Amino acid sequence: ALEVEHIIRSNGAVPATIALIGGVPHVGLTKEEINMLGREGHKVRKVSRRDLAFVMASGVHGATTVSATMVLAHLAGIKVFVTGGIGGVHRGVAQTWDISTDLKELGKTPVCVVCAGVKSILDIPKTLEYLETEGVPVMTYKQDDFPSFFTASSGVKSPMRVETAQAAASVAQVQIAMGLGGALVAVPIPPEHQADAVEVERAISQCLREAETQGVTGNKITPFILQGVKEITKGKSLEANIKLVKNNALVGAQIATHVGSLSLKSKL
């Protein structure tokens, strides 16, 4: 988190890491708070929009998902948010009805989310269909295919392509100004840092079978599969995850500076 904040500052934007400390929402953390959350690890509760009220009332620490981060960012007046990947429609959704609240949040909360695409453990085509239903502009940065988190391409064509951070910022600013909800910018992981697509897909399939056998469901399934993929790929997926987050931070900071400039001009 500290390295990501440094990248954002170096590219002209102001970072504000979001979490709940003792039940209190913090938009912007100190170095000590970031290190404390790191030490607490899995003791820190995962917090989506659904969990915000409960965690705040309970007075415990919380790590916010995309949906909860968007809510708090919007309350603080922040228009651009950088993350690794968003949640989406899970594989086997016809049986489980497991759809991330991140998608609903993007449809109603006016924040531009910059990510490396949908986590590849999910059903990417169905996720893009759901985002279309929610009216979310989905832009991919400098390529036609929508990225697949650990790898640069999912093989699925992106609804929109933008060539520059300024172009992405222009779309996001119009979306926000018109009260149409959020926007999504997918930034492919640089090819030199991506994981092997075949190896990752094989690992995902194995972990999905194990999750079904062990009865892992709900908000526990994503961390279960990501941990399993990390172990099967001998840490290669984690290395790719770190690289893509840093790359997202760089592009996200550039988008944020342009959004800030456009917002200022609209007030003049």
Side-chain angles (χ1 to χ4, degrees):
L2 292 172
E3 289 184 46
V4 170
E5 288 198 351
H6 175 71
I7 292 169
I8 291 170
R9 286 194 187 93
S10 298
N11 284 275
V14 179
T17 301
I18 294 177
L20 284 88
I21 307 293
V24 179
H26 283 54
V27 180
L29 301 178
T30 65
K31 180 179 179 180
E32 291 72 24
E33 288 168 336
I34 290 173
N35 287 333
M36 179 274 292
L37 291 173
R39 288 193 303 272
E40 291 291 305
H42 293 298
K43 296 178 184 177
V44 179
R45 187 183 177 101
K46 182 179 178 181
V47 182
S48 70
R49 166 185 270 267
R50 175 198 67 178
D51 308 303
L52 274 171
F54 180 81
V55 172
M56 290 172 66
S58 301
V60 298
H61 300 326
T64 52
T65 64
V66 169
S67 64
T69 304
M70 287 183 73
V71 170
L72 297 178
H74 175 52
L75 289 173
I78 294 172
K79 294 183 177 180
V80 180
F81 155 48
V82 171
T83 187
I86 64 166
V89 177
H90 281 253
R91 302 187 191 192
V93 66
Q95 287 73 46
T96 65
W97 287 90
D98 194 347
I99 301 172
S100 172
T101 190
D102 295 352
L103 306 184
K104 293 287 290 184
E105 206 64 52
L106 277 159
K108 61 187 174 186
T109 301
V111 174
C112 175
V113 177
V114 181
C115 66
V118 179
K119 293 183 177 73
S120 50
I121 64 175
L122 304 172
D123 189 321
I124 294 175
K126 285 187 175 65
T127 298
L128 291 177
E129 287 287 350
Y130 197 102
L131 286 169
E132 179 186 7
T133 300
E134 290 294 322
V136 180
V138 177
M139 301 166 270
T140 295
Y141 187 65
K142 293 186 177 182
Q143 72 175 35
D144 292 330
D145 281 0
F146 189 77
S148 182
F149 196 64
F150 294 125
T151 55
S153 174
S154 65
V156 180
K157 186 173 176 60
S158 176
M160 304 168 192
R161 171 175 175 154
V162 289
E163 297 297 332
T164 65
Q166 185 173 8
S170 296
V171 175
Q173 177 61 19
V174 172
Q175 177 82 354
I176 291 169
M178 292 184 68
L180 298 176
L184 186 70
V185 181
V187 182
I189 182 174
E192 65 271 21
H193 297 314
Q194 68 179 342
D196 181 84
V198 175
E199 182 182 17
V200 169
E201 183 57 35
R202 188 182 299 120
I204 291 170
S205 296
Q206 180 179 330
C207 292
L208 284 168
R209 290 193 296 271
E210 291 176 0
E212 185 176 1
T213 300
Q214 297 180 33
V216 180
T217 59
N219 63 6
K220 294 181 180 179
I221 193 165
T222 296
F224 176 87
I225 294 175
L226 290 177
Q227 177 63 28
V229 170
K230 185 184 81 169
E231 292 172 0
I232 293 169
T233 61
K234 296 181 171 59
K236 293 177 185 175
S237 64
L238 178 60
E239 292 174 14
N241 198 340
I242 293 170
K243 295 292 185 181
L244 68 84
V245 168
K246 291 180 179 179
N247 188 55
N248 293 349
L250 188 154
V251 177
Q254 295 170 354
I255 293 172
T257 57
H258 285 298
V259 167
S261 177
L262 290 168
S263 299
L264 180 62
K265 288 178 182 178
S266 68
K267 295 176 181 178
L268 297 177

